[in-house]
Every structure is written in structure tokens, then in C-alpha cells.
Amino acid sequence: MSTGELLGVRGLVAGYGAVPVLHTVDLSVPPRTIAAVVGANGAGKTTLLRAVSGLLPPTAGRIVLDGTDLRGTRVEQLVRRGVAHVPEGRGVVGELTVDENLRLGGLWRRDRADAARALDEVYQLFAPLARRRRHLGHQLSGGERQMLALGRALVGRPRLLLLDEPSLGLAPRVVAQIMALLRQLRDDTGLTVLLVEQNVRSALSVADQGVVMALGRIVASGPAAGLRDDDHLRHAYLGF
Amino acid sequence: MKGPTLARHLGAGAVAVALLVPVSFALEPFRAFQLATVAAYLCATAGLTVLTGLNGQLSLGHGALMAVGAYTVALSQTAFADAGVTGGWVLPVSFGAAVGATVAVGALVGVAAARLRGPYLAGVTLAVAVVVPALTVTFDGVLGGEQGLSVPVDPPPAGLGASFPYERWQLWIAGAATLPVLLLLGNLVRSRYGRTFRAVRDDEVAARLAGIDVARTQVLAFVVSAAGAGVGGGLLAVLAQSVSPGAFSLTLSLSLVMAVVVGGLGRLAGAGWGAVLLVALPDLTHSVTGLVSFPPALAQRMAGNLPLAVFGVTLVVVVVAAPGGIQGLLSRSGRALRSRPDPSTTHHP
Amino acid sequence: MDRFVFLTLDGLSRGAVYAAFALALVLIWRAARIVNFAQGAMAVATAYVAHSVAAATGSYWWGFLAALVAGLLLGALVDVAVMRLVDSTSPLNPVIVALGLVLLIQAVLGMVYGNEYRPAEAPFSRAALTLGGVGVLSPYDLFVLAAVGAVVVALAWMFARTGTGLRMRAAAFAPAVARLLGVDVGGMLTLGWALASGVGALAGLLVIPTELGLHPHAMDLVFVSAFTAAVVGGLDSPPGAVVGGLAVGLVLSYVSGYAGSDLAPLAVLVLLLAVLLIRPGGLFAQVTARRV
């Protein structure tokens, strides 16, 4: 039963203070899937990710990971369940070096040897990071920071990756590389990605599944290709 | 706005005098002395409330400023006594000198404080609180070292009768010194200056954009506050008839902070509660421990320290649980009863 | 010249203690953005623990060890039982709560031990050794320098080289990100308080025998000197705290030696004001703030 779903969101209501931002959101993401959540600014995409990773406790509803209700799970425990959240603005710690940022991603793991292997793999995946190991986070360019944030998440070998606006402020070429990498990770390691994007075109071109949000509600969902070609949706919500 | 406020405050002052005189006759001498001590602390806590509560600058150094006032009164009174000068004007002149000296020191600290924020300001004023009492030893030729100085004060005028208790006279002196301080501070709080004080506390940038000279406002608040502490210190000197560094230690400074925080920082009335606490809590703990018969050595150690322990716990609990202090709790319940918004309340825990 | 050498060495030994104490202040400031004004009172409390344990066991070293452990525990306790409950949206609140702790701790010590000075024993001779006819450091000074040096090196190693140190730094610099990466931010904060309080306890143990003795207020002036040291180095910089501590120690040693020890408190105040008014970020802020 739960084999068809890695992440389930049921009747989620969440917000800041008394005003809900998300109104009864339902979502189901199967394993080995890239799901893209798209929509205008303020649609509630980031709030959805924050609620899923526990940074924002939901007012109502449930979040289910691989059949287990995540209620009561603390944020710092989530990474041990295989969930990595790359937050808005990427969350690179500017005062730490590239190497320290990356090692931080695997510190929670008991299997020290595999954490070291994962670190090496990330350095192979992102050559610029390997060249700048000793540089501080705040010395990196925007693209390098995105690599670092993504690489740091991968050091933990997550099952589910929550990515908030990875394309923000990056050149199209870099965005394309990152999107290609996500597909490669999905195919090679079985990674599931919940991707929040304002860049609708590139998000829906890489994703398997698409979810369109507006004003805190899901207004459409289905195979990404179908959403991309739906003229009505494009005009009403996506603006291209 | 200004005229009626002044009139109202003067009216309140007259009522206070009219009450204080009969009360001073009704109180037994020890209680009169305690009330006079409350008045002395009230000068300092009112000044500290203006500085910390209304202007947002935390001073851990007001005990030291009280020391400046106290030592000035001690030196001045001694000088007059040595010269054989007596008269009703001697004590007011000494208090004037005390205000002058604390204003000078307050301006010095205030100029530095105006450039500092948060923990830096707290650290500097803490240094003042620790270092100034130590200076009495550095300059022990003038300031008498650890022993301190005695403070000669004239006895009550003969016209009051031979049986007039000295403590009642002290209470009159304290009332005469404290009422003007409260009157001036109360008017200041309601005046244009009071509003600029609060504006700077709430948002320095906005205050600056509104044309307020932030640094000057902060120095002014420090100076006014120091003057209050100076009068309070002078009164403590007159009441104890002596001054010594031990009476103005860091503990006094911290106790004053405790008093204004527990009383309620937002309003001048909180300073009154704080001053009462400073006198009543030790008395109260004393009577409570009196119920248990401790061995004499322990009882002696408890006497000085238990009130301070209670101060410390009270301070922590109030900041954690009731940041508005006593006055905050009162005005909240008062508002609930009247259910009428009070526009003059700018309560800011 | 001989006197200058002596005062310099004496200043370094005294400064080592200020350095350790300033380091304790910086550790908490970096982790929690709180200047722990109760650090001095907490250190005195642990020194009394050392006093009692040493009296009961007859060994200075058992007392020494007990005080360090008590320091660690007291720091953790203050964090968990008090500071964690304070609403620190107003920066005044943690300061005021720390002052409440000062009143409480000093009063409790006064009730238990009395407000008299008690002699504090030093484990080594405090008589200066002579080298070529010049009075230099005493064995106790060497012990102080070695102990502080060991702590500084150990802390530097821990922060730079261990996973726990990395977690602590991440928790301090970016708490939200650290939580997402599985760091127990609250636990790291408590650990920071414990370590800082332990270092403060060490500094107290080392300095009290060189001053008037054990007293509830024994660390008041030391706290001011160490705060000055931390400000000289920049509150954010552990290496700055060490350099600042040594600098303050030297200044105080020269002032005491050439102008009279009565002037030392005034010199601290003047130095603190001068640094804050001229370089509020600390003398070494730019150079060392981002290095650990």
C-alpha cells in the first residue's frame, strides 16, 4: 500500500500566526519521482516545504513519510529518516569552509566510512567545490553555493530531497546542469525530489509530476508534461 | 497639555505634603526612618526608571552614582561643620553640590553610554559600579578608605520641641528632597523630552528621521537619571550619618536594577514599588527567619544575604514570567476593570 | 630594566587568567548572543566547591577537579533552567536575568560560607624564581600559564578539528540550517554554556589565590577586567579574547608596578572606555573575527 507513495500530505493547514497560508493541501509523491511544485510568488510553495520538514508545525493535517506519520518528529530527527531540506536562500553557512559545510551534512551518520565515501562522491560530482575546499561559504559565487547546498544534502544520502528555488539567481546554463543532475540522481540512486520553483518551464521540463499552487491551494496536479502543455493552466496560473 | 500636567503634579505634591506631615507624627521612629529610606531609594529608582524604562539604556552603575552623591554630601557637610557654619540652608547647599557632582559624572558616563549599545553599555556601567567604590580606597586621604567618612547633620530645630524624634526630622528631610525630584521627573516624563526619550527607546532610526538628536537625548536622560541617584545617595548619607564603600557596592547597583525591573520599567509608578521592595523585602525576610531559631552564626549570615537571594530570585522570575513588573500587572488588571483605553500608557516591557 | 622584565612576565601570567575568563565570555556570546554577566559569580561558586572539597579530602587537586566538574554542571544548569526560558527579543532581558543570578549566587555563598575573606591556597610556591639575578616567574605562574595554554589549545583543537566543534559552530552561526542537518542546536548551546562555565571556573581557581582570597565578591573586578579583555579582542573572536586578556594583564601589571596597585581598578575602567570609544568592534575585530 505504501509502496506507491514515499511522501504523503493529507489535509495540511499551516501558516504564520493566526492566518493560514496553506488551506487543506493534499499531495502524494511516489518514490523515484521528481515532483515540481510551481505557482506564483506567495502561493504557499515555500510554506509547504517548511511544513513538510517540520520547520513550521502544521495547524491541521498529516504528513506521512513511507507510511509513518511524521507528527512529533523534531526537525533535527528528520535527516535521520532520510529527508534533506535545502532551504530558500540555500542555507550555506558563510562562516564555515566548503569542506566544513559538506562534512556537516554527514555528521549525523553512524556509518563514518560511508559518510566519508559520500563526501568524496560529492567532490567528484562538483569539481568547483573540490577546488575551493578551504574557502569560506560567503566567498562562493551563487552557483557554487547552490552546488554546496545540494552537495551537503547529498552527503547524507537522502531518500527525499526538498529543494527550495534552486534556480534563483543562477545563470540558465547552471540551472540546466542542476536539473540534469537531479534526473541522474533519480535514475542512479532512486532519489525522490520535491522541487519548489518559480521557474516553471525548467521545473516542469525536468519533473515527472507537477503540482500547481495558487493562494495556498493545489489547483492542478498530474504528469508534468501534461501541465506544461495545458494552455488554460499556463495562462491562468503560470504566466507563460 | 503642559500647564495642566504641571498643575496636577503640583496638586499631587501638595497632597503628599499634607499627608506626610500627619503620617510622620503617627509613625514610630523606626518606621519613620524606614519610610525615609524608601524615599532615598525612590529618588534613585525613579531616575533609573527614566533611563532604563523610558529611554532604553540599562545602567548597572547607579549605585556608584549614589556613592558620588553621598560622598559629596559627606564632604560638604564636614566642610561646613569644620568651618563652624550652621543654618537651615547648609543641607540644601550640600544637596545642590551632590546634584552638581553626579550630573558631572553622569554626563561623563552618559557621553560614553550614548555611543554604546546592549551588552557593551551594561559592561561599562558595571565597570563604573565596581570601580567607583574602589576609588575611595585609592584616594583614602580624602575619601576615608574602607572606613569611610562621617556625615555631620544639624539636629532638628529647637522650635520643634526637645522630644521631637530625630528619625521624624530625617523623614522630613527625605520628603523635602524627594518631592521636588519626583515632581521634576514626573513633569519631564509627560513633557516633550519624555516623548523624545520614548521615541529613541522604541526606534532609534525612526527617532533620528523625525529630527531627534539621539545622542543628545541619551546623554540628557543619563544626566537627569544621575541627578536623581545623586539626591538619593545624599539622603542615604544623611540617614546613616556616615558613608563607606561597602554601602555602595555592586550589590546596591544590582538591587536598584532589581527594584525598577520588578516594580515595572514602563512607568514612573513602578519606581515607587521598587523602592518599597528594597526596604520591605529585607524587613519581611527578617521577620520570617525570626520565626525559626537558627544558630547565631547562621542567623547573622542570613540577615544580610537572604534578602539579596530573594532579590535575585524575584528578578529572574519577574523577567521570565511577568516582564511588566508589578506596575504592569496592576495596570493590566486596572485596564481590565475600567475597560477604557488609557492613551497615556505606552507600556513597553 | 629588571623590574620591567618582572612586570612583563607577571602581567602575562595575570593576563593568562583574564584570557581564559574572556574566552569563556566569548564562547557564550558566540553561541547565544548573551554576555554572561553571572560568569564571575558562577566562577566564585565553583571556587567555594574547590575550597570545601579540598578541606574534606585534604587534597588541593581533588578540589580543583571538583570545581571544574561543578563549573561544567553549573553552566549547563544555568542554560537549561534559566536562560532557555528568557525571552531574548529584548536584549536587556538576558542581561537582567544574569544580574539576578549574580545577586542570588553571591547571597547563597554568603549564607553558606559567610562574607569574610578566606585564604585560598596555591598548589605551588608563589615566590618568584630568579634567573641570572633577575626575578622572573614563580612556579605558580608557570602552572597558570600551562593550565590556560592547555585549555586554549584544547578548545582550539575541539572547535577546529572535531565533529562536536563543527556542530557547535554551525549551531551558533546558523541554527535553523544546523537543525535541518540533524544538529541538536539546543544541546550544543547547553554544551557551550557548560564549557564556558568550566573555563570560567578554571580562571577563578587560578586567579583567586593571587588576589585577596576567597569571597563571594572575589571575581567582581576580575569580571570587569575580563570583560575589558573580551571587548579589546572583539566579543566574537576567541583568539582576540586571548590576546586581549594578555594585553589587559600587561597594562594592569605596569600600572600596578609603576603607579601603584590602588590605581589598577581605575586603569581598567579607562582602558575599557578608551577601547569602546575608539574601536567598538575590538582592536582585532577585522583581522580575526572570521578565523577560528
Side-chain angles (χ1 to χ4, degrees):
Chain A
M1 194 198 120
S2 65
T3 47
E5 172 184 282
L6 180 66
L7 175 71
V9 174
R10 316 248 189 280
L12 180 70
V13 181
Y16 306 90
V19 191
V21 177
L22 298 178
H23 309 271
T24 352
V25 168
D26 289 279
L27 186 69
S28 179
V29 183
R32 281 182 181 268
T33 306
I34 298 178
V37 180
V38 295
N41 226 342
K45 307 185 300 288
T46 294
T47 308
L48 175 64
L49 280 199
R50 288 171 56 86
V52 169
S53 69
L55 283 175
L56 183 71
T59 337
R62 295 194 304 145
I63 292 156
V64 181
L65 181 72
D66 207 9
T68 316
D69 193 334
L70 286 183
R71 192 178 322 203
T73 307
R74 293 189 300 158
V75 176
E76 52 266 43
Q77 292 301 325
L78 215 66
V79 69
R80 294 169 173 83
R81 300 280 191 88
V83 180
H85 182 170
V86 178
E88 207 180 7
R90 296 165 192 143
V92 165
V93 187
E95 292 89 345
L96 300 180
T97 64
V98 168
D99 197 55
E100 286 169 338
N101 266 288
L102 287 177
R103 281 197 289 132
L104 202 53
L107 270 186
W108 58 274
R109 300 187 61 194
R110 292 258 170 74
D111 188 346
R112 313 296 320 152
D114 189 58
R117 263 198 307 279
L119 186 65
D120 284 341
E121 287 169 25
V122 166
Y123 275 131
Q124 279 163 22
L125 215 49
F126 301 106
L129 295 184
R131 284 196 298 273
R132 311 200 66 179
R133 264 172 213 253
R134 305 258 161 256
H135 288 248
L136 293 175
H138 67 82
Q139 296 171 320
L140 301 185
S141 70
E144 287 167 334
R145 280 182 204 216
Q146 187 58 58
M147 288 179 204
L148 180 53
L150 198 55
R152 191 177 60 190
L154 296 177
V155 172
R157 297 208 191 278
R159 288 188 291 165
L160 173 64
L161 182 64
L162 309 174
L163 262 184
D164 201 344
E165 303 264 6
S167 74
L168 196 71
L170 297 187
R173 193 175 47 81
V174 183
V175 176
Q177 280 171 1
I178 286 174
M179 295 300 171
L181 178 69
L182 292 180
R183 292 193 90 125
Q184 185 198 329
L185 288 166
R186 178 199 59 191
D187 296 341
D188 295 354
T189 69
L191 182 70
T192 305
V193 182
L194 184 60
L195 171 71
V196 154
E197 260 299 345
Q198 286 214 66
N199 186 339
V200 179
R201 215 184 286 263
S202 75
L204 289 183
S205 67
V206 71
D208 305 301
Q209 186 190 342
V211 175
V212 183
M213 287 187 75
L215 300 174
R217 289 191 169 79
I218 291 180
V219 291
S221 65
L227 293 179
R228 207 171 49 217
D229 300 335
D230 185 325
D231 284 339
H232 169 69
L233 264 182
R234 278 172 35 184
H235 286 298
Y237 299 110
L238 305 176
F240 73 96
Chain B
M1 180 72 198
K2 206 171 177 180
T5 311
L6 181 61
R8 209 171 62 237
H9 284 168
L10 281 175
V15 171
V17 172
L19 279 176
L20 199 58
V21 172
V23 163
S24 74
F25 279 97
L27 288 175
E28 45 182 302
F30 176 62
R31 295 296 169 197
F33 181 81
Q34 281 191 316
L35 190 56
T37 313
V38 170
Y41 284 133
L42 180 52
C43 293
T45 54
L48 191 54
T49 298
V50 167
L51 182 67
T52 304
L54 296 168
N55 195 228
Q57 301 188 77
L58 180 63
S59 167
L60 316 184
H62 265 49
L65 291 171
M66 288 184 89
V68 172
Y71 272 83
T72 309
V73 166
L75 291 173
S76 162
Q77 287 293 102
T78 308
F80 281 124
D82 289 350
V85 181
T86 53
W89 53 272
V90 165
L91 201 54
V93 167
S94 292
F95 272 95
V99 169
T102 39
V103 159
V105 174
L108 206 66
V109 181
V111 166
R115 300 183 53 175
L116 303 173
R117 298 294 174 266
Y120 292 101
L121 175 59
V124 166
T125 54
L126 177 80
V128 170
V130 171
V131 169
V132 166
L135 293 183
T136 58
V137 180
T138 311
F139 304 106
D140 55 355
V142 189
L143 301 177
E146 292 285 351
Q147 264 66 49
L149 305 169
S150 66
V151 182
V153 183
D154 289 339
L160 290 170
S163 65
F164 194 85
Y166 191 64
E167 288 82 358
R168 192 178 298 155
W169 176 236
Q170 287 181 315
L171 177 55
W172 286 19
I173 294 176
T178 305
L179 280 176
V181 169
L182 292 183
L183 214 57
L184 288 173
L185 288 180
N187 263 308
L188 182 88
V189 165
R190 295 290 168 116
S191 73
R192 188 166 59 81
Y193 290 108
R195 283 194 297 279
T196 60
F197 283 7
R198 283 187 287 267
V200 167
R201 172 199 68 190
D202 291 338
D203 188 339
E204 274 183 37
V205 177
R208 199 166 280 133
L209 289 175
I212 296 172
D213 185 337
V214 170
R216 220 176 62 192
T217 305
Q218 287 178 324
V219 175
L220 182 68
F222 219 106
V223 165
V224 168
S225 175
V231 174
L235 278 177
L236 282 188
V238 168
L239 294 178
Q241 300 180 57
S242 71
V243 290
S244 67
F248 301 95
S249 64
L250 176 63
T251 305
L252 173 65
S253 291
L254 299 189
S255 299
L256 290 173
V257 172
M258 186 285 303
V260 297
V261 171
V262 174
L265 275 175
R267 303 239 250 148
L268 216 45
W273 293 113
V276 170
L277 274 183
L278 282 177
V279 176
L281 265 185
D283 208 35
L284 207 66
T285 50
H286 189 68
S287 356
V288 170
T289 51
L291 301 175
V292 190
S293 53
F294 290 109
L298 179 61
Q300 196 215 333
R301 292 205 298 264
M302 300 268 279
N305 287 306
L306 189 59
L308 296 177
V310 175
F311 285 179
V313 172
T314 312
L315 188 52
V316 172
V317 169
V318 165
V319 174
V320 169
I326 294 176
Q327 190 55 37
L329 293 175
L330 285 181
S331 45
R332 231 180 298 159
S333 46
R335 265 202 302 279
L337 285 176
R338 280 176 292 146
S339 72
R340 186 165 54 90
D342 180 357
S344 66
T345 309
T346 49
H347 180 66
H348 193 87
Chain C
M1 189 61 207
D2 290 358
R3 184 153 177 75
F4 180 76
V5 171
F6 173 78
L7 289 175
T8 303
L9 292 171
D10 184 57
L12 289 177
S13 159
R14 198 199 287 226
V17 176
Y18 298 147
F21 207 74
L23 199 55
L25 289 174
V26 167
L27 284 180
I28 293 180
W29 173 255
R30 272 167 43 118
R33 295 284 127 180
I34 290 173
V35 171
N36 180 19
F37 281 94
Q39 187 96 62
M42 289 161 69
V44 173
T46 61
Y48 274 103
V49 169
H51 177 79
S52 288
V53 171
T57 61
S59 156
Y60 173 88
W61 297 108
W62 280 118
F64 189 82
L65 194 66
L68 294 186
V69 174
L72 293 169
L73 294 177
L74 185 58
L77 180 72
V78 165
D79 179 42
V80 174
V82 183
M83 288 300 176
R84 204 61 71 80
L85 310 177
V86 177
D87 168 21
S88 37
T89 45
S90 160
L92 288 188
N93 285 348
V95 174
I96 293 173
V97 164
L99 299 176
L101 287 176
V102 172
L103 281 170
L104 175 63
I105 293 171
Q106 290 180 340
V108 168
L109 292 174
M111 281 191 273
V112 177
Y113 293 97
N115 283 41
E116 301 85 34
Y117 279 97
R118 291 175 179 233
E121 173 204 7
F124 300 102
S125 162
R126 296 198 50 225
L129 303 170
T130 52
L131 199 70
V134 181
V136 287
L137 296 167
S138 70
Y140 186 68
D141 289 332
L142 292 173
F143 168 62
V144 167
L145 287 169
V148 173
V151 163
V152 169
V153 169
L155 283 176
W157 174 80
M158 194 206 78
F159 277 107
R161 296 265 176 264
T162 70
T164 305
L166 182 52
R167 282 190 197 94
M168 290 180 73
R169 283 186 292 152
F173 292 134
V177 173
R179 289 184 74 198
L180 286 174
L181 296 170
V183 175
D184 175 5
V185 171
M188 290 302 119
L189 197 54
T190 305
L191 182 59
W193 273 88
L195 283 176
S197 170
V199 174
L202 174 75
L205 287 174
L206 294 176
V207 77
I208 285 172
T210 70
E211 306 258 331
L212 291 171
L214 196 50
H215 186 275
H217 288 268
M219 294 292 279
D220 285 359
L221 189 57
V222 175
F223 178 90
V224 172
S225 306
F227 177 78
T228 306
V231 168
V232 167
L235 272 177
D236 263 313
S237 162
V242 173
V243 177
L246 295 175
V248 169
L250 285 174
V251 168
L252 290 191
S253 182
Y254 294 142
V255 168
S256 300
Y258 290 121
S261 60
D262 284 351
L263 283 171
L266 191 60
V268 176
L269 182 60
V270 170
L271 183 63
L272 176 60
L273 277 175
V275 171
L276 278 177
L277 295 181
I278 298 164
R279 287 289 295 270
L283 296 181
F284 310 97
Q286 275 74 14
V287 192
T288 50
R290 295 206 173 271
R291 228 187 281 151
V292 176

